Amino acid sequence: MEKANFRTQILTRHLQNRAPAASGGAVSRAPCLSYAPPEATASFDVSSMRKLMDGHNLGERDWLFNLMLQSKLFNPKLRGGRVFVAPDYNQSMEQQREMTMKRIQYLLDRGVFEGWMTGKGIEAEMRKLALLEVITIFDHSLAIKIGVHFFLWGGAIQFFGTKRHHDKWLRATETFLMKGCFAMTELGHGSNVRGIETITTYDPRTEEFIINTPCESAQKYWIGGAANHATHTVVFSQLNIEGKNEGVHAFITQIRDSDGNICPNIRIADCGHKIGLNGVDNGRIWFDNVRIPRENILNSVADVSSDGKYLSAIKDADQRFGAFMAPLTSGRVTIAVSAVYMAKMSLAIAIRYSLTRRAFSITPNGAEVLLLDYPSHQRRLLPLLAKTYAMSFAGNYLKLLYVRRTPQLIKTLHVVSSGLKATLTWHNMRTLQECREACGGQGLKTENRIGQLKGEYDVQSTFEGDNNVLMQQVSKALLAEYVAAKRKNKPFKELGLEHMNKPSPTIPSRLSSSTVHSSQFQNDIFCLRERDLLNRFAAEVSKYQAQGESKESAFNASYQLAEDLGRAFTDRAILQTFVEAENSLTDASLKNVLSLVRSMYVLVTLDEDPAFLRYGHLTTENAAIVRKEVVSLCSEIRPHALALVDSFGIPDGFLSPIAFDWVAANAWSASRD
Amino acid sequence: MASTNGETDQVLVEERSCGRIFMLNRPKQLNALSAVMVSRLLELFLSCAEDSSVKFIIVKGQGRAFCAGGDVAAVVHDINRGNWKSGADYFRKEFTMNYVIATYIKPQVSILNGIVMGGGAGVSVHGRFRIATEKSLFAMPETALGLFPDIGASYFLSRLPGFFGEYVGLTGARLDGAEMLACGLATHFVQSESLPLLEEALVRAASSDPVVISSIIEQFSHAPNLKKNSAYHRLDVINKCFSRRTVEDIFEALERVSADKKDDWISSTIQSLKKASPMSLKISLRSIREGRLQGIGKCLVREFRMVCHVMLGEVSKDFVEGCRAILLDKDRNPKWAPSKLESISDEMVDRYFSKVDDADWEDLKLPVSSRLPAYAMAKL
């Protein structure tokens, strides 16, 4: 009966609403459902948490957010009384590419790139990384286009080049006197850079290198910037000197003149429309015996004398190749960090929406329930929130490792950046999908960002190293470390494997709630899994080798353990950065909430990775206890959810209409603006 | 005209059917907001929100000013007597009033027929409708007083087109009615002679619907031409220079433009920045930049922290000095300390944005109201 009354009331309201709004006043215009903003119950200081999360250059970040919000170039749109900026993805590929260039010009004119190539020291590097993160929050295409020019082209000049290249190119790059790209990947070779087929020879009579694309599979592919804008490229090529292949080397080649005309003996084709990143002009390049002057070889690692002799301080070809790969580390660092920012963005939107959108009543005629008050909805979003916090700390650690790199740290940097790049980008894709679904139909609208970001960021699991290949590199490096330590009978002292020197931790046969919340237990169980998997992996590889298999095929055959081990290493490394971030704090309210978040990160990892059960690190009883604990952690974190996403430091205008008053944003009056 | 006692004569209230007209009535002081006026206005706004017979509110000023600002002379007097806390009470109340206005459920029409400065903007710009006239004169002159644009200015200045807000907030530039309309500080421009008729029309319509009110005002309004030398014509240069990250960078950009070509407008802009308190410039810029990324509530909470630090004078006593030089001794020659931008460290600036270290001190607590209109919700 009450239900019938309720329907009648609604119908009456509909009928009354037919009267013109003018005579009725505000009351008659009230919608059936009104938007109520999420209740703010921050138990900690959001700005202090933001400081911890963003970590550095907050003033510069906010300045850049300001710059983008205040220019029409960033496509501001009024929705529900608020301004949101986001690229117009409904533009054609060509239009999106032109917009990307216009935005770059605007940022250049405002001094954003000042010091990006010529700045020295850690401070300049951190500023550059911070600004790139802010740019990626606006648009991945813009960040990639800038990243290719500065980090790949510019990085190659910096790291592979010597003074003559620095003098000629660094300032010119910083001011966009030219536009650079990076021609490494070929149609036939991506992750396996050593297999590329482009060939360069030397002509001592003219003192020129001759670069050639010998076959279709050697065409350069996916070269960002090549299709429309780039004037110069760094070409990666086999270097053939006096009939001997000296391996992969890098050369500067002009591909367009300053008017944008393609240079002689260069052919360029477009990679065409993509599932995302259409604001980046990826192209294909063929070199038809292109001649370049001898000084265009980037000669920090190896050189060719004017009379055509090959010269290199590094005699070992493997090491030489390793030196060439160094700039790719910066790409992996920026990719890993930007993946975390996208997870932050989608969670900020989906969690804000879930705190204002209701569905179904659970009592007769009761108010409908907020999405985030459903335990199942909490279980979908809050563990991802906890992981994003953990990975944000890992990203900050990775950045510091990168900017403070020393020759001794190159191996650690390579392994950690590989593991984190793969793990953080996979996490982002999973988070985007879950957040898209958690927003229901609204998640399908491009203006609500999350759905579109799936296409825009999918590439992250492929470029700068395929995620699966990178994870195998982690396991391979761990195995090498293991073999070396055992052979020399020396303790582990790198890659965070020091815990292997201690006796194996023991896990209580029956876990209590207080145990699972202790960081000691959390660290122990992650170390136990890593230690056990490393032992098993080493044993399996040597078993295959004992059967006569080569090291490589033994490794390939052990891929299941390799995958489990790569994950174990990365999760443990992430947890360590979390604990370090907590230890840097004095504010008790921040520490309290972070310890909940850390417990959630660990316990949900235990709940989701079958390796713990498979290899007996957790008994089935303990696995059940952990699973229950995840549920109670969800309800403990629930009151902090809004403050936790507000701490991400992403300004409202960079989120989307469903994160705020989605009723006003979708009102009839708004549809006529 | 209804008034309950002598003190509240500083705000006159007129009941016109469903409308309430608040008249700021301290014409000798150009209607500068005394503590009594702030209390009274806050009380009036709150009670009219509850009173279902009230559909809309008009705010205007007696005499040639709408409102020339807050009563900073009284605040400085308090500070000089060692009583910064009563100054804090004043600002607490004023900012609360600004918040109530910004999130007000009923339409407010402010008639800005004269001077609108500082606190005067706080009573009007946050409201739904702001009517400029040929007599309007707007400015945020705080940096010349050793203060910073407060009363929620970091919210509305930062939302003006491009970087016009930084220009207005840092230089204290004066805007006329046409400029106010062009940049969005005003929503309409009406000739002052039409104001009585407009008021009549609003009272007759007796509507609380912003669409209806807007269409009535539109019947009386027109689009005036910007004067030839209006700063708004210089938006390109303003965007180029005032978008820079730091005050030093802004100076440098302006000086580069001025070196390229002699230009009176640029020189006078540089001059007004040079006259302002260096500390004020630093904290004002940062406040506007943070304000652009925040809702009105957070802006006011931040500004309240800042104004308390300004009054405390731990880092700089420029506010007292500025008021001495401009308002009291009127020698117009303030001795700023620190006297140079380069002697101000980031840490000194940070202090203004931190909580005040005092057992009795609390952050600004804003009233919670449910069921706000979308217009107000969008500001939160």
Side-chain angles (χ1 to χ4, degrees), chain B residues 32-165:
Chain B
L33 295 173
S34 64
V36 173
M37 286 166 88
V38 171
S39 297
R40 178 72 177 138
L41 281 169
L42 177 57
E43 188 184 296
L44 284 167
F45 273 107
L46 290 175
S47 65
C48 286
E50 295 299 314
D51 184 345
S52 58
S53 71
V54 178
K55 293 215 162 143
F56 68 96
I57 285 165
I58 293 176
V59 182
K60 57 187 190 177
Q62 183 82 276
R64 67 189 179 92
F66 171 78
C67 170
D71 198 348
V72 286
V75 172
V76 168
H77 186 64
D78 286 335
I79 298 173
N80 286 335
R81 285 184 314 159
N83 191 12
W84 71 274
K85 282 198 177 151
S86 81
D89 289 340
Y90 173 81
F91 286 112
R92 191 184 291 277
K93 216 162 231 173
E94 185 182 23
F95 292 4
T96 305
M97 173 187 72
N98 299 142
Y99 183 79
V100 167
I101 289 174
T103 57
Y104 209 58
I105 202 152
K106 297 175 186 180
Q108 171 185 344
V109 180
S110 302
I111 296 175
L112 308 175
N113 190 28
I115 297 166
V116 189
M117 289 189 189
V123 190
S124 53
V125 177
H126 295 295
R128 186 77 140 128
F129 300 105
R130 291 92 62 184
I131 298 173
T133 74
E134 78 286 357
K135 292 182 183 160
S136 298
L137 171 69
F138 177 96
M140 296 301 285
E142 287 85 353
T143 57
L145 282 175
L147 192 59
F148 63 95
D150 58 344
I151 53 92
S154 64
Y155 179 82
F156 64 73
L157 287 179
S158 62
R159 280 158 179 81
L160 301 185
F163 293 83
F164 198 65

Side-chain angles (χ1 to χ4, degrees), chain A residues 547-561:
Chain A
Q547 290 166 8
E549 301 270 0
S550 69
K551 197 166 96 184
E552 287 69 25
S553 61
F555 186 86
N556 287 345
S558 312
Y559 72 94
Q560 287 181 318
L561 279 164

Side-chain angles (χ1 to χ4, degrees), chain A residues 269-289:
Chain A
D270 204 309
C271 290
H273 193 263
K274 306 184 292 280
I275 63 167
L277 273 186
N278 282 303
V280 178
D281 53 324
N282 292 94
R284 305 184 275 149
I285 313 176
W286 290 257
F287 299 91
D288 301 327
N289 290 316

Side-chain angles (χ1 to χ4, degrees), chain A residues 99-319:
Chain A
M99 283 313 295
T100 306
M101 282 316 295
K102 281 187 185 159
R103 287 168 185 145
I104 289 175
Q105 185 64 47
Y106 171 82
L107 298 177
L108 176 69
D109 292 343
R110 296 298 184 272
V112 171
F113 306 125
E114 206 56 53
W116 277 39
M117 296 303 339
T118 56
K120 294 267 181 293
I122 289 178
E123 225 168 89
E125 288 216 65
M126 292 303 272
R127 174 181 183 271
K128 177 163 65 168
L129 291 171
L131 294 176
L132 189 69
E133 286 159 27
V134 169
I135 290 167
T136 214
I137 287 172
F138 174 75
D139 179 30
H140 199 199
S141 285
L142 184 58
I144 290 302
K145 189 90 176 158
I146 289 167
V148 167
H149 178 75
F150 284 104
F151 286 82
L152 293 181
W153 155 268
I157 302 290
Q158 263 172 337
F159 298 122
F160 306 153
T162 50
K163 188 169 183 301
R164 65 171 189 251
H165 305 110
H166 297 167
D167 291 347
K168 184 165 179 193
W169 297 108
L170 293 185
R171 183 68 192 157
T173 299
E174 189 167 296
T175 54
F176 278 89
L177 279 180
M178 43 68 56
K179 299 176 199 99
C181 64
F182 188 80
M184 180 182 263
T185 297
E186 297 176 356
L187 177 60
H189 291 86
S191 287
N192 180 18
V193 179
R194 294 182 83 168
I196 58 172
E197 297 171 285
T198 302
I199 288 182
T200 298
T201 51
Y202 181 70
D203 180 350
R205 287 168 306 164
T206 57
E207 298 193 19
E208 286 172 320
F209 288 106
I210 303 162
I211 302 176
N212 193 40
T213 304
C215 52
E216 285 299 3
S217 62
Q219 65 179 273
K220 293 293 177 186
Y221 216 104
W222 295 125
I223 311 309
N228 295 131
H229 303 126
T231 57
H232 292 74
T233 187
V234 172
V235 190
F236 287 82
S237 162
Q238 306 290 348
L239 176 61
N240 218 318
I241 295 292
E242 295 174 321
K244 185 177 173 225
N245 182 22
E246 299 289 354
V248 176
H249 291 72
F251 305 86
I252 295 173
T253 305
Q254 185 162 6
I255 56 174
R256 281 190 181 82
D257 64 21
S258 50
D259 296 329
N261 306 305
I262 295 172
C263 294
N265 302 323
I266 303 274
R267 286 176 287 148
I268 293 179
D270 204 309
C271 290
H273 193 263
K274 306 184 292 280
I275 63 167
L277 273 186
N278 282 303
V280 178
D281 53 324
N282 292 94
R284 305 184 275 149
I285 313 176
W286 290 257
F287 299 91
D288 301 327
N289 290 316
V290 177
R291 286 179 168 264
I292 56 166
R294 187 177 70 95
E295 61 263 25
N296 281 19
I297 183 171
L298 292 170
N299 60 334
S300 75
V301 174
D303 208 347
V304 173
S305 65
S306 57
D307 60 347
K309 295 278 174 285
Y310 184 74
L311 312 162
S312 177
I314 307 178
K315 294 289 168 232
D316 180 58
D318 286 348
Q319 277 183 23

